[in-house]
Amino acid sequence: MTTVRRAVLTLPAAPLGPDNPLPALRAPAGAGAYAVDPRTLAELPRDMARGIGRDPLRSLLPAPVRDGYGRERTPADVDTIVIENDRLRVTVLPGLGGRVHSLHHKPTGRELLYRNPVFQPAAFALNGAWFSGGVEWNIGATGHTTLSCSPLHAATVRAPDGGPMLRLWEWERLRDLPFQVDLWLPEGSDFLYVGVRIRNPHEQTAPVYWWSNIAVPEDRRVLAPADAAWHHGYERGLSRVPVPVTEDGTDRTYPLNSTHAADWFYDLPEGRRRWIAALDTDGTGLVQTSTDPLRGRKLFVWGTGRGGRRWQDWLTEPGTPGYAEIQAGLARTQLEHLELAGGAEFSWLEAYGPLAADPATVLGDDWTAARADVERSLSGVLPRAAVDAAYTAWREGAADLAPEEVLAAGSGWGALEVLRGGYELPGTPFPESTLGREQEPWRELLRTGVLPPPADGAAPLIAPLVASPWRDMLETAPADPTTEYQLGIAQWHAGDRAQAVRSWERGLKEATTRWPLLYCLAVADREDGHPERAAEHFTEALTDHEATEGGADLDGARALVAAALGREALDALLAVDRPDRARTLWHRLPDSARRRGAFRLLEVRLLLAEGRQDEARAVFDAGFEVADLCEGAEILGELWERITDELLPDAYEFRMRPS
């Protein structure tokens, strides 16, 4: 019989730490890694170009930036939910985005996924903290979801066959959409079934993004039913190339054949069964298949170059085997977004399980024969009709069922939206009991029309809301500094940046605590091409924080704000070539901040701006780690080249494209 139970997994783990206290007014830091050169965009199929240009994120609002983690790992207990039958044991992490951590095939004793032996956050999610391994559910916008390291609601539900099923659900805040992921193991099945539904409860059309991201050992061959792929690298190109052998004569279906990190989006023909497999030298491994709406399939490789190897070590335990990613999404590429009409939904079924094929065929040079052998093997263990039937049974008989036993709690943001909008969402309840401290000021605005001010002298650091109904309420609320601050954030998110600046300037006139508004004005200055004025506003924000929050005697939340403001101010001063003022500010920062890797990096920049190359080199020689170094970042290599023409040490080599 299938069972669903709670359990605990102990891993070496780096604590997530606190979120950044400043509102995330800018677009994702790693967005450039997914960009497409405008000249390339003009040459793409028209529908693909439209999907790539559809509703790009102007900011990360209302999600916070998650950059409080470090690199020191100690053993920690992680809550899990285990789904098990006599064939498979599936371990899910409800507190970490609902990630499938492990898919263990009991008859063979094989782990079908790449299972990360540590929990190490890194700056790969849209809003920062992300970790590698397993199967993750990416919703929102191009990139790893903002929920990568966040809790989801979890409960048991009756599966279509009457057994227990695990339901995960949450309200995704970037696109303001609820979603659910249902996982179950039919009795005696070698395959994990996953039913996914994204709903748009609003009247207006919403942009939608989904990719299921599956980590597998990189010493595999990756097969999919395609003769071509869209290749995307960190040079911002997107080109259609043959599969498996590209123009340079290299078989790219073997991850270890690539030197540099790259994406290969397989161009699956219409009408063909959707699947992707990663098989070892014995012809065995993992296969993922789905119903037709999940159209895209992808291979991501880190490459064998120094940068790719360094990232692999950075994300896991050095010396452990590397991994690649096979993925499945709603569009042909991860760069595209689809449209979901108001009141409509997207839903589909995925299946994950073991596959055994003839190794001589699937690893051979005849690509047509290799794919055909995988399809025959897959049809033998899981026919396409069985997947379609399972989807129908789930969607018509289980997707709307009410949860039974609650196993884990997510956020209260869904409950707040349901309270405001009166939405009926069968199967995914967001009860008022889940409302918490973050939602309380907004609940008060909803109830009284007034956003409660902070305590005397406190900063108005209420977690923002930016959707149009909340913006409308803020516009009619009494115009005190707290309301003007939040209204400006909502207007900024909507693209009305001039009005946002006016709101912040109005709030500044009467604010007792000025630094939150000054920070917002500084970001606006920088985004509008006024770097000198931005540097002044960032510095003024830090000075005001010091004056109102206790000078240098900072700890806890106050020190967190001082460090965040100081990092922004230092960066802005260096950008306008003011090392003298940057040095003065450097001495004002808390010692705890200056010891962190991100500030050691700023120190290198400051020393170089002062012409002190030898001292900058000494910082590199002493060693430092920037815990929240962004995907695709090349700053370490650029600074090193200003110091010396020696080879960049491996510890600092994170570049993901050819020199």
Side-chain angles (χ1 to χ4, degrees):
M1 294 291 292
T2 299
T3 60
V4 176
R5 58 183 171 85
R6 292 188 182 95
V8 173
L9 175 69
T10 302
L11 288 174
L16 274 172
D19 292 344
N20 191 302
L22 307 177
L25 300 177
R26 283 168 287 188
Y34 302 106
V36 177
D37 184 275
R39 290 170 297 180
T40 301
L41 199 62
E43 299 172 355
L44 298 177
R46 188 170 300 176
D47 61 332
M48 181 180 286
R50 281 198 303 269
I52 293 173
R54 182 172 288 128
D55 294 298
L57 293 179
R58 298 188 183 98
S59 74
L60 279 171
L61 295 167
V65 172
R66 313 202 70 181
D67 60 2
Y69 51 86
R71 298 282 303 164
E72 295 183 8
R73 298 191 288 264
T74 56
D77 290 340
V78 179
D79 290 333
T80 70
I81 299 173
V82 177
I83 314 166
E84 189 167 10
N85 65 4
D86 61 338
R87 311 290 295 177
L88 288 173
R89 182 169 60 249
V90 184
T91 304
V92 180
L93 310 179
L96 295 169
R99 181 82 58 103
V100 176
H101 175 71
S102 170
L103 188 60
H104 178 78
H105 188 233
K106 295 160 77 171
T108 59
R110 295 171 63 95
E111 173 59 50
L112 300 179
L113 304 173
Y114 168 78
R115 183 176 57 192
N116 198 332
V118 304
F119 173 69
Q120 177 56 64
F124 276 69
L126 288 164
N127 62 335
W130 171 86
F131 64 107
S132 64
V135 184
E136 60 176 310
W137 318 111
N138 289 308
I139 182 174
T142 300
H144 296 281
T145 177
T146 61
L147 297 168
S148 292
C149 293
S150 296
L152 304 189
H153 299 282
T156 56
V157 186
R158 287 297 99 187
D161 63 355
M165 178 170 72
L166 172 63
R167 174 162 299 158
L168 306 167
W169 74 99
E170 203 18 300
W171 196 282
E172 199 284 314
R173 300 180 69 204
L174 289 184
R175 301 304 193 184
D176 209 20
L177 302 175
F179 71 99
Q180 73 187 77
V181 180
D182 288 355
L183 305 97
W184 76 100
L185 291 172
E187 187 174 352
S189 174
D190 281 303
F191 281 82
L192 170 68
Y193 287 177
V194 181
V196 184
R197 175 165 62 171
I198 304 169
R199 287 187 275 201
N200 180 5
H202 312 295
E203 294 181 358
Q204 68 274 21
T205 297
V208 169
Y209 171 93
W210 181 280
W211 281 79
S212 302
N213 187 349
I214 309 146
V216 294
E218 65 182 351
D219 58 344
R220 301 287 189 267
R221 189 182 203 190
V222 174
L223 300 100
D227 291 311
W230 292 94
H231 169 243
H232 179 258
Y234 288 82
E235 304 89 357
R236 299 190 173 189
L238 185 64
S239 57
R240 196 170 187 269
V241 298
V243 172
V245 179
T246 52
E247 290 91 340
D248 63 359
T250 304
D251 188 336
R252 300 293 180 177
T253 62
Y254 291 91
L256 292 173
N257 281 353
S258 292
T259 304
H260 300 287
D263 301 318
W264 311 89
F265 299 102
Y266 294 113
D267 198 356
L268 276 59
E270 290 295 335
R272 294 293 297 273
R273 186 176 186 181
R274 315 297 196 196
W275 59 267
I276 189 167
L279 306 179
D280 62 17
T281 54
D282 295 328
T284 59
L286 173 76
V287 66
Q288 186 270 5
T289 188
S290 72
T291 50
D292 288 350
L294 201 65
R295 176 184 185 182
R297 293 297 186 275
K298 170 192 165 182
L299 165 64
F300 167 76
V301 300
W302 285 104
T304 58
R306 291 203 306 147
R309 294 299 95 187
R310 182 64 178 122
W311 275 117
Q312 294 256 31
D313 287 346
W314 186 256
L315 296 171
T316 183
E317 193 68 40
T320 56
Y323 75 96
E325 295 171 358
I326 58 175
Q327 303 187 23
L330 285 173
R332 278 172 295 186
T333 73
Q334 280 184 320
L335 313 178
E336 301 166 76
H337 296 73
L338 303 184
E339 289 185 332
L340 181 59
E345 69 172 49
F346 288 139
S347 61
W348 65 90
L349 185 91
E350 304 180 44
Y352 297 78
L355 189 77
D358 175 28
T361 304
V362 297
L363 304 180
D365 294 333
D366 188 335
W367 179 242
T368 300
R371 292 180 308 168
D373 195 67
V374 171
E375 290 206 352
R376 279 193 299 270
S377 299
L378 178 58
S379 295
V381 293
L382 187 65
R384 184 177 186 177
V387 175
D388 292 339
Y391 166 75
T392 300
W394 166 73
R395 183 61 194 86
E396 296 180 356
D400 286 348
L401 291 178
E404 297 175 356
E405 180 187 1
V406 174
L407 301 176
S411 77
W413 295 112
L416 186 67
E417 293 301 330
V418 169
L419 189 64
R420 182 198 59 76
Y423 303 121
E424 295 291 335
L425 300 168
T428 55
F430 294 95
E432 286 192 48
S433 60
T434 61
L435 291 167
R437 178 181 54 83
E438 286 189 309
Q439 293 82 40
E440 190 53 42
W442 298 101
R443 188 182 191 184
E444 186 70 9
L445 174 66
L446 186 62
R447 188 178 66 85
T448 67
V450 178
L451 191 66
D456 291 344
L461 290 183
I462 299 168
L465 283 175
V466 295
S468 56
W470 296 104
R471 187 173 70 249
D472 292 344
M473 281 184 268
L474 289 168
E475 287 175 345
T476 58
D480 58 34
T482 297
T483 302
E484 295 285 14
Y485 170 69
Q486 292 290 344
L487 175 58
I489 291 174
Q491 291 166 332
W492 179 269
H493 172 75
D496 191 354
R497 296 190 166 186
Q499 188 59 54
V501 168
R502 285 192 284 271
S503 295
W504 292 327
E505 289 175 340
R506 284 196 304 268
L508 196 61
K509 292 178 181 178
E510 298 182 11
T512 304
T513 301
R514 294 162 49 86
W515 65 262
L517 294 148
L518 289 166
Y519 165 77
C520 292
L521 290 170
V523 174
D525 288 333
R526 181 153 59 188
E527 296 293 300
D528 288 342
H530 303 294
E532 292 277 359
R533 201 163 66 200
E536 292 295 330
H537 273 138
F538 279 126
T539 305
E540 190 179 354
L542 179 61
T543 300
D544 182 76
H545 179 266
E546 291 171 336
T548 58
E549 300 290 345
D553 300 323
L554 298 177
D555 56 18
R558 296 180 302 167
L560 186 68
V561 173
L565 288 173
R567 188 174 178 179
E568 295 278 8
L570 278 170
D571 180 75
L573 288 168
L574 291 171
V576 296
D577 196 24
R578 293 303 307 268
D580 51 342
R581 294 185 60 189
R583 177 60 65 184
T584 300
L585 189 152
W586 173 264
H587 290 303
R588 289 159 50 187
L589 295 176
D591 288 342
S592 59
R594 287 187 294 185
R595 289 193 295 268
R596 287 167 45 192
F599 286 86
R600 298 287 280 167
L601 177 61
L602 284 168
E603 184 181 16
V604 171
R605 292 177 57 195
L606 176 55
L607 289 167
L608 287 173
E610 294 170 328
R612 298 156 67 180
Q613 283 188 310
D614 290 345
E615 292 172 74
R617 170 65 184 262
V619 176
F620 271 103
D621 291 344
F624 64 93
E625 292 184 320
V626 184
D628 62 336
L629 192 70
C630 290
E631 177 183 7
E634 300 182 350
I635 182 65
L636 292 171
E638 292 167 356
L639 293 176
W640 179 260
E641 289 172 359
R642 291 175 58 186
I643 296 171
T644 178
D645 58 3
E646 297 174 20
L647 181 67
L648 180 66
D650 287 345
Y652 303 112
E653 180 56 277
F654 291 92
R655 291 172 290 193
M656 299 174 70
R657 61 177 178 170
S659 299

